[in-house]
């Protein structure tokens, strides 16, 4: 099952948790991120519920980013999808 079905903040927390695991496994940190693309069903809801999660993850050192509002995501219960590109030496 999907963490936080119907709860954008919980889904954002889980996505960034997963991204953190992947970065660490590659010997990287959130500071290694160079580009983030985020797709959401509602930019307004993202600003209220997702932005605080993003702010905590990056701690002010944000990568270049694109935020896109779309009608639907890969699965109907998804409220956010994030793609991250990181530079790892």
């Amino acid at each position: 099952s999907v963490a936080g079905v119907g709860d954008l903040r919980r889904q954002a927390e889980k996505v960034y948790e997963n991204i953190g695991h992947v970065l660490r496994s590659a010997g990287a940190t959130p500071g290694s991120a160079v580009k983030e693309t985020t797709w959401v069903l509602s930019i307004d809801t993202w600003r209220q519920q997702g932005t605080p999660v993003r702010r905590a993850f990056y701690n002010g050192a944000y990568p270049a980013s694109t935020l896109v509002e779309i009608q639907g995501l890969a699965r109907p219960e998804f409220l956010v999808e994030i793609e991250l590109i990181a530079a790892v030496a």
Side-chain angles (χ1 to χ4, degrees):
S1 71
V2 174
V5 171
D7 182 343
L8 178 60
R9 184 180 185 100
R10 180 66 194 113
Q11 286 190 23
E13 289 168 348
K14 184 62 177 169
V15 169
Y16 280 113
E17 178 184 315
N18 292 346
I19 290 170
H21 290 311
V22 171
L23 288 171
R24 280 189 297 282
S25 72
T29 68
S32 305
V34 294
K35 176 67 171 84
E36 177 186 277
T37 304
T38 304
W39 294 271
V40 296
L41 302 184
S42 166
I43 287 177
D44 290 339
T45 304
W46 174 257
R47 286 183 178 138
Q48 295 166 2
Q49 299 176 22
T51 296
V53 177
R54 181 176 188 267
R55 190 176 295 127
F57 181 76
Y58 289 113
N59 196 25
Y62 303 109
S65 64
T66 302
L67 176 62
V68 182
E69 181 177 281
I70 60 176
Q71 285 188 322
L73 296 163
R75 292 181 46 186
E77 63 271 25
F78 289 179
L79 302 175
V80 58
E81 289 188 26
I82 299 173
E83 175 184 76
L84 186 95
I85 299 171
V88 181

